[in-house]
Amino acid sequence: MQKRILIVEDEVSIRDMVAFALRKAGMEAVHAGDAREAQLAISEQVPDLILLDWMLPGSSGLELARRLRREELSREIPIIMLTARGEEMDRVNGLEAGVDDYVVKPFSTRELIARIKAVLRRSQGDDGSGVVELGGIRVDGPAHRVFAHDQPVAIGPTEYRLLYFFMTHPERVYSRAQLLDHVWGGSVYVEERTVDVHIRRLRKTLEPWKLEDMIQTVRGAGYRLSELD
């Protein structure tokens, strides 16, 4: 099925260039010039992925990303941020707002399409072949759902994959590099700092059920999931 990509970008020339590249790659391109148009497009038909410019008129892309992650209709849509801000702290702020990846301007459409395909594989590829339960957390692989103390948990696509990996490999310590390889895939370039951001997001997701401490930091080694203190 053709993937529907929402481009949220106020510069028409960039929007048209990206849309052309998407159509050439066999994807459907939907346009939005600001946050209001983006939310209208999402309400009409939920896209498979959002390309979101950092600098938008009225409301910034960062603010829109946070809003989308709070709303039920859009909280699980993968987001790639398009930004001229290449500093590490800016990238971290984007990831913490709920963005799954970022592409720094100027970028090649070839790189962008590769990033889109990688994020779609990560977010829509269901690695779960069964139901895994541990310490109050239950991951239903076939249904792609997470429950905490039998209550449904709203969780982002990357956090889902990270949690599923931990749940199927409990009590074992994994370095950032190993997690990148297992969860993101060895063929995708992602900075190790990205793992820390998603670990924080996963803990925050589990916080309402007081299960965040199951995701443990092992100093100098990495992270593990454990029922033990």
Side-chain angles (χ1 to χ4, degrees):
M1 185 181 295
Q2 191 179 46
K3 298 300 182 185
R4 182 182 177 89
I5 311 299
L6 174 60
I7 311 164
V8 188
E9 167 65 67
D10 62 317
E11 291 190 40
V12 177
S13 59
I14 295 178
R15 213 162 61 212
D16 289 346
M17 174 190 71
V18 172
F20 177 78
L22 289 171
R23 288 192 293 269
K24 194 174 177 182
M27 303 180 198
E28 179 187 359
V30 182
H31 298 244
D34 56 29
R36 184 188 62 80
E37 290 181 8
Q39 291 191 287
L40 181 61
I42 293 168
S43 67
E44 290 175 352
Q45 186 175 345
V46 177
D48 293 291
L49 183 141
I50 299 171
L51 294 175
L52 178 59
D53 184 36
W54 184 299
M55 300 296 290
L56 291 172
S59 177
S60 74
L62 204 61
E63 291 168 352
L64 179 57
R66 292 192 181 105
R67 198 178 313 147
L68 293 175
R69 286 293 176 249
R70 289 195 299 267
E71 296 175 0
E72 186 175 353
L73 187 65
S74 56
R75 62 169 53 119
E76 293 188 5
I77 305 173
I79 300 173
I80 296 179
M81 183 76 83
L82 305 178
T83 175
R85 308 168 72 104
E87 296 299 319
E88 181 185 30
M89 203 59 235
D90 292 325
R91 298 197 298 268
V92 170
N93 286 338
L95 290 165
E96 289 183 334
V99 172
D100 295 278
D101 200 356
Y102 59 88
V103 176
V104 178
K105 297 178 180 178
F107 54 82
S108 71
T109 54
R110 191 174 174 182
E111 177 197 3
L112 181 62
I113 295 299
R115 292 292 188 100
I116 290 171
K117 288 180 178 178
V119 170
L120 285 172
R121 281 197 303 270
R122 297 201 303 263
S123 64
Q124 297 176 0
D126 187 359
D127 292 334
S129 58
V131 177
V132 188
E133 192 163 2
L134 186 71
I137 302 173
R138 185 170 84 252
V139 179
D140 186 333
H144 212 80
R145 293 185 180 277
V146 176
F147 299 88
H149 299 311
D150 294 324
Q151 296 180 349
V153 176
I155 189 168
T158 303
E159 286 70 52
Y160 173 87
R161 289 174 61 82
L162 188 58
L163 179 60
Y164 187 87
F165 178 77
F166 276 135
M167 291 285 287
T168 53
H169 301 82
E171 306 297 341
R172 291 181 59 184
V173 179
Y174 289 90
S175 67
R176 292 176 180 86
Q178 288 172 322
L179 289 171
L180 284 174
D181 189 47
H182 288 291
V183 178
W184 278 260
S187 61
V188 178
Y189 173 73
V190 182
E191 294 180 1
E192 289 193 1
R193 179 73 179 270
T194 301
V195 175
D196 301 334
V197 173
H198 285 285
I199 288 287
R200 285 199 296 272
R201 281 166 54 177
L202 179 55
R203 284 172 174 156
K204 189 172 182 180
T205 298
L206 298 173
E207 202 171 64
W209 294 273
K210 302 189 184 303
L211 296 170
E212 70 276 14
D213 290 342
M214 287 181 66
I215 311 297
Q216 300 176 357
T217 301
V218 181
R219 188 177 296 276
Y223 298 101
R224 71 175 165 223
L225 182 140
S226 177
E227 291 185 272
L228 307 175
D229 294 332

